[in-house]
Amino acid sequence: MSATINCKEFADYFVLPIRNKLYPAYVFEVEGKPYAIEEYYLNDLRHISHIRVSPQIFDEPMIAKEMYEVAVSLIQLFDELEMKETVYSPLGLAEMNYMHELLTSMIHKRLQVYLLHSSVTLEEQNNVFLTPVPGYRKIILSTNMAESSVTVPDVKYVIDFCLTRTLVCDEDTNYQSLRICWASKTSCNQRKGRAGRVSKGYCYRLIHKDFWTNCIPENAVPEMLRCPLGSTVLKVKLLDMGEPRALLATALSPPSIGDIERTILHLKEMGALAISAHPDEENPYDGELTFLGRVLAQLPVDQQLGKLIVLGHVFGCLEECLIIAATLSLKNFFVMPFRQHLDGYRNKMIFSGNSKSDCIALYSNERADLPMKFNKHKDVAELFEELKNRVKSFNMYINTQPPVMDQEYIYKQRFILQVVMAGAFYPNYFTFGQCDEEIAVKELAGGDSKTIVMLKNIPPYGFLYYKQLQSVFRQCGQVKSIVYDGTKAFVEFSRNPAERFKILPAVYMALKMFQLRIPLELNVHPPEMIEGIMEGVTLTGLRHTRVNVDFQKQIVEPMQTSFGALEQSQTITSLPLSICVTEVIEVGHFWGYRTDEKNMIALKRLTAEINHLDLMPLPVRPYPDLVCLAQFTDFENKRYHRAQILYVSGDSAEVFFVDYGNRSRVFLNLLKEIPNYLREVPFQALEFKICKMRPSAKSLVCGEWWSYGASQRFASLVNDCTLVVKVYSVVHSVLHVDVYRYSGMKEVNIRDLLIEEGYAELAEESYESKEEKRLIEMLLNHFSANKFGTPNCKVTSEMVSFLYEAIKT
């Protein structure tokens, strides 16, 4: 029994030969008695909506913007007629989001809007059965899951775009994807049947009547004609029912010969079918089942997931692969409540770690506490057990012996799992490519793409709305500063100086916001009104001026061209530096301070100045990024130093000492307020990164980025000794350097030593680093060439300014 079945096609297929004649099978129809349902099309709505609607094009199935407006007009009309209920059927989550925004922006309308979509939580789906509050209209935004899976009894109005998302298989990649297409008439009639259950109903189809008559297909394309045939072919071979092409040609809706042949070749490519069916025959479109093919034919999952399980057994990670296969076969674990997709993405990032893999995220989520997690997801638990039992018949068992754990085991196992996934999903998997660094540097006006995102179309006097912008991006991460430059704004997120130098999760979160089209709404004032309030003051020049908002220093000020960094670069690169390493972030990346006599005297004076003050408690509750004074507790002489709070936990905080580069945990009651004049003194700690070096393949396999062995070796080379560095470039205040230590009378390059021992390999410097090096050399050449006309003249700030502007231009 089915409401959408093509009865004639089935009856003709099961034809009966009686007395030399063919008689179709009997069809019994049992009709119910629903209430009458009136149908309307766009042609009938001209007197309701004066919105001009373009004619539909069969080859371009889509919802035009004006169609949403027509739907909203209809809902407003229903509201004027009576307080009943309506069902509105768009396609996917993006369309639902847009319609939801339109409905919730309707002023003075009492609406209760609910969603039916597979990605929202079960609790939210169950809300559609709630009785609306008296005086309110209930609206259901639904995918085609409301077409047959759900019956809401008191629906009166149905608004249908006559579109659907259908699972289609790409001919080139054999990969399935959801595509928008026109729904069939039988499906549209099913949607119409959602109304008229308890009273007279109305169905509004937002297409023209002639388009419905001439273009909308009578029935949907059968699944066998649009989905992969892999499982079907494997079943045919397992049951030994002959050549797949011959058997499938007898199906009710036979797939094309080309689709069958492509499927067989694909199964041969993945190793499920042998080259030929018989040793003496050469048939490219048939073949015997291999061991892999027999396993795949017995598993109730996709072929790629079945191959993942087999490869997991081969490489010793069967349990992990069974978990991934079970979770990918069922509903997504990362269910996202409506309009809370950013939180779901954040959780996925946490579980995926550095792998950036959905599969790793699913496994990490489940493996965190397998029994507890499976209790929450019984379907996954059942499928996991089912798969585990089925592979036992092929002598595949989960290893119950605990592995030999070492510092690198977890990373080696993750690498093996990634290799297995690549083999199982080939060629349908993603790899991370390199971005065009030159374009990124230009777009961000020299800013750091690892910590900054750029916004466009900022209104005039945009700096007036910096608190609103900070509030918008607070859900992504801690905002350090916002620089306004014309119609652009550069939002910089705080980076923990004690963490590895990488793209911040906050940047990924901000980009996800833009991808999800989460509206960036600011309450702005017309520029004329701003200028009118400041009567008598000329503000035109401030409309698009460069303004820096520093949340760390709590200041808003016009951007001043700063040459301090450039002067420091010229000074630093002129001679080698003696440094002491205080904090190793990872191999080749560390903090330290200069140990030359001049710098040590300055540090002692600064420390003495701080500890002679009458220090006051913090006037505010401690928070990350706050600069204060903290006691360094590792020495007997407990002196205060300038520090930046990394994070607060309970009654203590992790702080970073900005003049030395090390960190420590300090009780909150020992944190003191820093005077403003000490806050303005440049921080003395320096951040270093060894240039032209990256992890070797061995290090990548055995660690998150660098292996445990590489980390231990690097720490032994740089700790408890004075090093000499030669600066290659300075990028975003990070010194890219060559590092040397002395072994007896011999100078040893630490990078060369790590490469020699197999922990690292040579790498090309980033575009920013090479460009900075080029500019510094240009600057030095200008000075040495003495282009200012004064022999042996002293370099002045005016000269540096001139060069800086020339280089910038």
Side-chain angles (χ1 to χ4, degrees):
M1 182 181 71
S2 172
T4 57
I5 191 174
N6 187 340
C7 296
K8 185 178 183 307
E9 186 177 10
F10 268 83
D12 291 341
Y13 184 74
F14 293 103
V15 66
L16 298 174
I18 301 176
R19 297 180 181 178
N20 297 325
K21 289 187 178 181
L22 298 177
Y23 291 89
Y26 288 104
V27 177
F28 295 91
E29 294 187 16
V30 180
E31 294 188 2
K33 293 184 178 180
Y35 290 88
I37 303 174
E38 295 183 8
E39 298 178 13
Y40 296 94
Y41 299 86
L42 282 177
N43 315 57
D44 306 314
L45 304 179
R46 290 171 182 167
H47 66 287
I48 298 174
S49 174
H50 301 289
I51 302 168
R52 297 186 63 181
V53 178
S54 303
Q56 288 87 12
I57 302 174
F58 183 77
D59 293 332
E60 297 179 10
M62 59 174 292
I63 302 179
K65 184 177 180 181
E66 54 266 23
M67 286 299 183
Y68 291 106
E69 297 173 4
V70 172
V72 171
S73 299
L74 279 171
I75 293 173
Q76 289 175 324
L77 176 67
F78 303 154
D79 205 41
E80 295 170 3
L81 295 176
E82 55 182 326
M83 283 295 171
K84 289 288 182 183
E85 178 177 9
T86 179
V87 169
Y88 162 78
S89 299
L91 302 170
L93 212 54
E95 293 84 0
M96 286 185 176
N97 277 325
Y98 187 75
M99 190 64 191
H100 191 276
E101 289 173 17
L102 291 178
L103 293 174
T104 52
S105 63
M106 292 170 62
I107 304 174
H108 306 308
K109 295 295 180 183
R110 296 183 173 185
L111 304 175
Q112 289 181 281
V113 185
Y114 300 107
L115 274 80
L116 272 178
H117 189 278
S118 60
S119 70
V120 302
T121 62
L122 186 62
E123 292 78 7
E124 288 178 302
Q125 292 183 28
N126 289 334
N127 288 338
V128 301
F129 300 106
L130 298 176
T131 303
V133 176
Y136 280 74
R137 175 180 303 284
K138 181 166 68 174
I139 300 176
I140 302 172
L141 307 181
S142 175
T143 60
N144 56 0
M145 70 181 294
E147 193 175 299
S148 57
S149 304
V150 179
T151 298
V152 183
D154 51 353
V155 172
K156 185 165 185 178
Y157 302 100
V158 173
I159 302 175
D160 186 9
F161 286 118
C162 300
L163 290 162
T164 186
R165 285 189 188 272
T166 306
L167 199 63
V168 178
C169 181
D170 188 274
E171 292 184 2
D172 296 325
T173 64
N174 204 46
Y175 199 71
Q176 298 180 81
S177 62
L178 287 170
R179 297 182 189 174
I180 295 179
C181 60
W182 296 107
S184 65
K185 288 179 180 176
T186 52
S187 295
C188 292
N189 288 331
Q190 274 284 90
R191 297 175 186 179
K192 180 184 75 172
R194 299 305 95 193
R197 297 300 176 99
V198 295
S199 64
K200 183 179 179 180
Y202 302 86
C203 176
Y204 296 85
R205 294 188 175 123
L206 300 189
I207 57 174
H208 292 92
K209 176 68 174 178
D210 58 342
F211 189 82
W212 167 268
T213 304
N214 302 322
C215 299
I216 298 295
E218 288 292 335
N219 298 285
V221 178
E223 187 173 333
M224 183 175 281
L225 301 182
R226 55 182 169 82
C227 290
L229 299 170
S231 297
T232 306
V233 171
L234 289 175
K235 290 292 184 185
V236 170
K237 297 301 299 181
L238 185 67
L239 297 173
D240 196 18
M241 299 177 71
E243 186 184 349
R245 288 184 302 178
L247 182 68
L248 293 179
T250 64
L252 174 64
S253 301
S256 69
I257 295 297
D259 288 343
I260 300 172
E261 291 177 348
R262 273 193 299 272
T263 301
I264 293 171
L265 292 176
H266 174 69
L267 291 172
K268 288 186 176 183
E269 182 183 22
M270 73 183 303
L273 291 179
I275 300 298
S276 61
H278 303 286
D280 300 331
E281 295 181 8
E282 288 190 8
N283 185 353
Y285 303 116
D286 195 8
E288 283 299 307
L289 279 177
T290 62
F291 173 77
L292 174 62
R294 293 185 181 280
V295 176
L296 298 184
Q298 296 286 359
L299 297 181
V301 294
D302 184 74
Q303 282 82 50
Q304 277 82 12
L305 297 179
K307 188 174 181 180
L308 178 75
I309 293 171
V310 175
L311 290 176
H313 166 70
V314 172
F315 285 91
C317 51
L318 178 59
E319 183 181 29
E320 292 91 329
C321 293
L322 286 172
I323 293 172
I324 292 172
T327 51
L328 285 177
S329 299
L330 299 173
K331 186 176 177 180
N332 191 354
F333 264 56
F334 296 98
V335 176
M336 303 176 189
F338 183 56
R339 304 178 75 83
Q340 294 181 31
H341 298 88
L342 213 56
D343 294 333
Y345 181 71
R346 180 183 288 108
N347 293 335
K348 188 180 289 187
M349 283 184 63
I350 291 170
F351 283 113
S352 66
N354 193 50
S355 68
K356 306 294 188 299
S357 166
D358 283 359
C359 294
I360 298 291
L362 290 170
Y363 168 69
S364 301
N365 181 26
E366 285 306 297
R367 202 66 184 88
D369 193 337
L370 199 61
M372 183 184 73
K373 294 283 185 180
F374 275 180
N375 285 336
K376 293 182 180 179
H377 306 282
K378 293 183 178 179
D379 292 341
V380 175
E382 291 173 1
L383 182 55
F384 173 81
E385 292 297 328
E386 174 73 14
L387 292 172
K388 187 172 71 172
N389 291 330
R390 290 204 183 196
V391 297
K392 284 180 181 178
S393 60
F394 297 97
N395 291 322
M396 299 182 192
Y397 298 93
I398 293 175
N399 186 11
T400 57
Q401 297 295 323
V404 179
M405 299 292 289
D406 58 22
Q407 297 284 354
E408 298 175 347
Y409 172 79
I410 185 173
Y411 303 110
K412 292 176 182 176
Q413 198 68 4
R414 177 178 290 186
F415 175 77
I416 292 172
L417 193 55
Q418 288 175 311
V419 170
V420 168
M421 289 189 297
F425 293 107
Y426 175 84
N428 298 318
Y429 59 85
F430 294 98
T431 58
F432 274 87
Q434 295 295 322
C435 67
D436 192 316
E437 294 183 356
E438 184 175 355
I439 293 177
V441 170
K442 290 177 180 178
E443 283 290 315
L444 294 176
D448 187 0
S449 59
K450 295 182 178 66
T451 60
I452 294 176
V453 294
M454 180 183 69
L455 307 177
K456 295 183 178 180
N457 302 320
I458 297 296
Y461 305 105
F463 59 88
L464 296 176
Y465 318 113
Y466 71 89
K467 289 186 178 179
Q468 294 184 54
L469 209 56
Q470 181 194 24
S471 177
V472 168
F473 284 99
R474 189 174 285 131
Q475 59 186 320
C476 300
Q478 186 80 15
V479 179
K480 179 182 178 182
S481 67
I482 302 176
V483 173
Y484 293 89
D485 187 3
T487 59
K488 298 178 181 178
F490 301 90
V491 180
E492 181 179 9
F493 295 99
S494 295
R495 180 175 74 88
N496 187 335
E499 289 184 352
R500 184 165 72 84
F501 201 65
K502 60 181 180 180
I503 298 175
L504 294 182
V507 172
Y508 282 119
M509 296 291 291
L511 294 176
K512 190 65 177 180
M513 278 181 59
F514 300 140
Q515 184 188 33
L516 293 171
R517 299 178 183 177
I518 296 176
L520 181 60
E521 298 176 351
L522 301 176
N523 295 320
V524 301
H525 307 292
E528 295 77 13
M529 188 192 81
I530 297 172
E531 292 160 6
I533 292 175
M534 302 299 293
E535 188 176 351
V537 180
T538 303
L539 296 177
T540 310
L542 285 177
R543 273 198 177 200
H544 299 295
T545 191
R546 285 173 59 87
V547 176
N548 177 45
V549 181
D550 192 319
F551 295 100
Q552 199 175 65
K553 297 181 179 178
Q554 299 180 350
I555 57 173
V556 180
E557 60 184 4
M559 284 288 289
Q560 300 292 331
T561 304
S562 173
F563 308 108
L566 192 68
E567 292 171 355
Q568 185 186 39
S569 299
Q570 202 278 334
T571 305
I572 287 175
T573 53
S574 59
L575 292 171
L577 304 175
S578 295
I579 64 166
C580 177
V581 175
T582 52
E583 185 80 25
V584 174
I585 309 303
E586 63 175 354
V587 177
H589 182 197
F590 55 93
W591 284 86
Y593 61 92
R594 296 167 60 176
T595 56
D596 56 90
E597 184 180 358
K598 182 179 177 181
N599 197 67
M600 294 304 295
I601 291 173
L603 284 174
K604 288 179 181 178
R605 286 178 179 173
L606 180 61
T607 303
E609 173 73 14
I610 291 172
N611 287 275
H612 276 91
L613 294 173
D614 185 14
L615 301 179
M616 304 296 293
L618 286 176
V620 296
R621 182 176 177 81
Y623 58 87
D625 273 359
L626 177 67
V627 177
C628 60
L629 298 176
Q631 208 175 55
F632 191 57
T633 55
D634 285 0
F635 296 136
E636 293 182 3
N637 191 2
K638 297 179 180 179
R639 293 191 171 189
Y640 277 88
H641 303 273
R642 295 189 300 173
Q644 176 186 345
I645 296 177
L646 300 180
Y647 60 87
V648 179
S649 177
D651 60 351
S652 63
E654 185 85 6
V655 301
F656 178 78
F657 292 98
V658 296
D659 293 315
Y660 293 91
N662 50 345
R663 54 179 172 159
S664 178
R665 183 169 290 277
V666 180
F667 287 110
L668 298 183
N669 60 348
L670 296 179
L671 299 177
K672 304 297 181 182
E673 182 182 10
I674 183 172
N676 286 331
Y677 77 93
L678 287 178
R679 190 195 303 267
E680 299 300 324
V681 177
F683 300 155
Q684 298 302 302
L686 298 173
E687 187 174 7
F688 299 91
K689 195 172 188 298
I690 294 181
C691 63
K692 302 179 183 178
M693 185 180 77
R694 67 184 177 193
S696 64
K698 175 184 175 182
S699 286
L700 287 172
V701 169
C702 299
E704 187 77 19
W705 185 245
W706 292 91
S707 66
Y708 176 77
S711 301
Q712 292 294 100
R713 178 58 172 149
F714 181 73
S716 70
L717 291 172
V718 300
N719 286 335
D720 303 323
C721 66
T722 300
L723 302 175
V724 174
V725 299
K726 295 178 182 178
V727 179
Y728 177 88
S729 64
V730 184
V731 181
H732 307 302
S733 301
V734 180
L735 280 68
H736 291 234
V737 296
D738 282 303
V739 183
Y740 301 87
R741 65 171 289 161
Y742 286 90
S743 177
M745 299 297 293
K746 185 180 178 182
E747 188 180 67
V748 179
N749 187 314
I750 290 180
R751 179 187 60 226
D752 295 343
L753 193 60
L754 291 172
I755 293 173
E756 183 182 329
E757 295 177 1
Y759 295 115
E761 61 186 29
L762 274 175
E764 187 178 356
E765 276 291 273
S766 67
Y767 168 80
E768 288 179 285
S769 179
K770 290 188 291 187
E771 186 69 5
E772 180 77 11
K773 177 71 171 176
R774 185 181 69 83
L775 295 180
I776 290 173
E777 289 178 348
M778 182 189 299
L779 188 63
L780 291 172
N781 289 336
H782 272 281
F783 289 153
S784 61
N786 194 16
K787 296 190 176 183
F788 300 100
T790 306
N792 303 318
C793 68
K794 183 180 179 181
V795 179
T796 65
S797 60
E798 289 79 9
M799 295 177 184
V800 177
S801 302
F802 169 78
L803 282 174
Y804 183 84
E805 290 299 328
I807 292 169
K808 187 173 69 171
T809 305

